[in-house]
Amino acid sequence: MRAFSFTLTGIVMKTMFFAAILLSMFFAPLCAQNPVSEEVTADELREHVRYLASDALQGRRPGTPGGETAAEYIRDQFRTAGLRLLGDFGYQNFPIVTGIEAGKNSTLSAAGLDAALGKEFMPLSFSGQLSLDAPVRFAGYGFDYELDSSSWKDYDGIDVEGVWVLILRGSPDNASGDYDPFTSLLKKAMVARDHGAAGVIFVGGPAFDKNDRPVELHYQQQEAAMGIPVVSVTRGVAERLLGGITIADLEKELNKKKHPVRTDCTENLNASITLERQSVTGRNVVAIIDGNDEQLRDEYIIIGAHYDHLGMGGPGSGSRRPDTSAVHNGADDNASGTAAVLELGERIAKAGGLRRSVVFAAFTGEEMGLLGSKYFTSHSPVELSKVSLMCNLDMVGRFKDADNVINVGGTGTSAELEEMLRTAGEHIDMKLSMSPEGFGPSDHAAFYAEDVPVLFFFTGINEEYHTPLDDADLLNYDGEKRVVDLAYEVIAAAGNREEVLVFRESGPKSRPSGSRRFKVTLGIMPDVSSSGGKGLRADAVVEGRPADLAGMKKGDVIVAMEGKSVNGVYEYMNRLSEFKEGQRISVEVMRGEERLVLIVEL
Ligand SMILES: [Zn+2]
């Protein structure tokens, strides 16, 4: 399960999945009747989990030896069970960017003096890879905003077309939070670019950054490069550009006046920026059991679970103990679901398959943002419009006997799913807590966005979640066996019934924005997987929401809003935060080769 919390231009958006479950929870008591087949056993589940969550696999992070070993194990299990491997001998390989470094040949010289890379200057992670030799203009904090009570326009009266802009990091009063929407480096760089700047130089005043260090490079998933160079420098370097005044003086004056301050820059800046993105190969493991009915075998059921986890943890990994470097075993999250997929494969193979074909997918990169499942849906080995049901198992190992409740999400994504679940559960003595929404914090969300009916099995969050303590001996394997039996019954019913399950929209297709700053939304699911290229693709357009009403179509690439360019999800969110409810804005999209302007009422 992915912790749906990511820092967006200094704003932490948190979406608690439980709210969705609790909102729509109701219980359907089931009674025990016949004993179910014993083909899936608690012992077999335990064996898979013990192996996948062992220290030897080092937390199964994509691209690590432990991650590779896990993929091989899953592929071998699929093959042994008699499944037919799909993809490239059972793998779907794709690159995952894991880090970024400044190119060693990056240079910067101010007033003809070379600065030292890393010590005196550093490109920002979203910098364009370009060279620029140009004059410099000072633009204070780089603000350009107008609110009901105040405004601050650093660019009024200065022409920054085609030159570098020198901007202070932070804001006058860093504690109050009033300036928060305008202080992120990306935001400031976007404002500078909107005014025609050809490059941006950031420097921290002593009140903001007493250590006077360039900004450290951190790669963020989903971050796109800007078309202009963006660097940060030390005060010593910045002061070479100024005619004698210090950064400390400028910061002091700005903080006192809370108003633009002008000063002339006398020297040129020359910089040449390169960045190197490190990437690893992520692998989904995919296999199929062909349908045993001639008429129905071209239709599909997909059973999926992610097998990746957080590796050794550390900052940015998603670990809740980011300061501890230790194997994050990920027994519940999600060796449990992976074991379930393996056992379901074995059981369905032994039964001679279902009438429809059943695709098995072990996804990677889930913890980094549903990378594997999104890759799967955009490179699907089977036609997604022929998929009757995608069943996702993520964290199914901590069933609580005392509560005797299984959470199932996505139950509203086809009209018959709730009834099918109740029927399937008739043999199994547990209570169903159903939640209709198709969106959720795991891989099924990627399929729901593609109009595939989904079910999401989940036994609840626990204290060890995303810590090094999520271990195999804490799992309830008897409980998991019963969850897998329930999943099997539903899958068999969906795979054998005469009619296909028809998709039904059930809730938003993207995360609801959890921050009050995002007052408005377009009602699209942005493509968060691509970090290159121009614009931002709408992976889904939610019916009845502003973008849909304005005529936006799934697959449209948003390239500008209100005439200002948009590149990647971070820039998109930044632009959105500037608009108000009820406002009419122009949104330019590329639909294939065609450029269209849509008027969206927010
Ligand atoms: Zn997780």
Side-chain angles (χ1 to χ4, degrees), residues 1-3 306 309-310 333-334 366-367 394-395 465-466:
M1 166 104 62
R2 169 161 163 72
H306 77 90
H309 196 56
L310 310 177
D333 184 11
N334 184 30
E366 190 269 353
E367 303 285 8
D394 191 0
M395 300 179 64
Y465 168 69
H466 279 204

Side-chain angles (χ1 to χ4, degrees), residues 2 55 95-96 112 116 120 158 219 286 316 367 383 417 468 501 576 580 590-591:
R2 169 161 163 72
D55 284 352
I96 297 177
E120 294 181 300
I158 58 169
Y219 177 73
V286 285
E367 303 285 8
E383 218 178 297
L417 280 174
L501 287 171
L576 258 190
K580 297 192 183 70
M590 296 299 297
R591 185 173 297 162

Side-chain angles (χ1 to χ4, degrees), residues 141-146 151-156 182 187 191 194-195 564 578:
Y141 278 111
F143 292 152
D144 180 21
Y145 68 83
E146 239 180 302
S151 75
W152 188 322
K153 294 182 165 288
D154 279 313
Y155 292 89
D156 272 9
F182 317 110
K187 176 79 193 181
V191 170
D194 289 346
H195 284 87
K564 293 176 177 175
E578 293 164 8

Side-chain angles (χ1 to χ4, degrees), residues 133 238 530 559 567 596:
D133 186 358
S530 75
V559 291
N567 193 12
L596 302 170

Side-chain angles (χ1 to χ4, degrees), residues 307-482:
Y307 72 92
D308 66 301
H309 196 56
L310 310 177
M312 301 296 286
S317 67
S319 172
R320 290 165 60 224
R321 306 265 183 283
D323 302 330
T324 313
S325 177
V327 176
H328 285 57
N329 302 77
D332 185 35
D333 184 11
N334 184 30
S336 67
T338 309
V341 169
L342 296 177
E343 287 303 304
L344 286 164
E346 194 184 303
R347 180 164 176 186
I348 293 169
K350 274 187 190 161
L354 306 178
R355 295 178 68 196
R356 292 185 172 78
S357 297
V358 187
V359 174
F360 296 81
F363 302 112
T364 192
E366 190 269 353
E367 303 285 8
M368 299 166 116
L370 313 189
L371 303 182
S373 48
K374 292 204 66 157
Y375 184 85
F376 184 102
T377 54
S378 54
H379 301 79
S380 179
V382 299
E383 218 178 297
L384 285 181
S385 63
K386 297 263 175 76
V387 177
S388 240
L389 177 67
M390 190 276 169
C391 176
N392 180 31
L393 299 110
D394 191 0
M395 300 179 64
V396 289
R398 300 288 288 266
F399 188 79
K400 290 180 203 69
D401 291 331
D403 303 341
N404 202 33
V405 173
I406 175 69
N407 304 301
V408 189
T411 58
T413 58
S414 183
E416 292 117 303
L417 280 174
E418 286 190 356
E419 192 49 45
M420 283 171 64
L421 265 166
R422 278 192 214 99
T423 310
E426 273 170 12
H427 308 301
I428 301 152
D429 173 29
M430 32 169 93
K431 286 178 239 163
L432 286 167
S433 162
M434 298 196 262
S435 132
E437 290 81 8
F439 178 75
S442 183
D443 294 307
H444 58 287
F447 290 85
Y448 176 60
E450 298 293 331
D451 294 355
V452 175
V454 296
L455 284 178
F456 167 41
F457 291 84
F458 170 54
T459 52
I461 289 277
N462 51 77
E463 262 175 62
E464 292 77 24
Y465 168 69
H466 279 204
T467 74
L469 306 174
D470 178 5
D471 288 327
D473 56 5
L474 295 176
L475 268 56
N476 174 355
Y477 296 99
D478 292 316
E480 178 170 352
K481 175 213 158 13
R482 291 159 67 210

Side-chain angles (χ1 to χ4, degrees), residues 78-137:
F78 280 164
R79 206 169 13 202
T80 308
L83 279 57
R84 181 163 68 81
L85 297 181
L86 295 172
D88 188 1
F89 298 103
Y91 292 151
Q92 278 189 320
N93 300 308
F94 61 98
I96 297 177
V97 178
T98 53
I100 193 165
E101 266 178 23
K104 302 264 179 294
N105 52 353
S106 297
T107 58
L108 182 143
S109 67
L113 287 172
D114 290 339
L117 175 64
K119 273 195 182 142
E120 294 181 300
F121 84 96
M122 200 63 165
L124 272 89
S125 55
F126 51 82
S127 172
Q129 305 200 56
L130 298 156
S131 298
L132 178 67
D133 186 358
V136 182
R137 304 263 182 282

Side-chain angles (χ1 to χ4, degrees), residues 108-111 113-116 119-121 166 201-203 212 214 231-242 247 267-269:
L108 182 143
S109 67
L113 287 172
D114 290 339
K119 273 195 182 142
E120 294 181 300
F121 84 96
L166 175 63
I201 312 154
F202 285 111
V203 63
D212 193 19
V231 296
S232 70
V233 300
T234 58
R235 291 192 277 280
V237 172
E239 282 163 7
R240 285 180 216 155
L241 304 165
L242 300 166
I247 294 294
E267 302 287 344
N268 272 29
L269 188 97

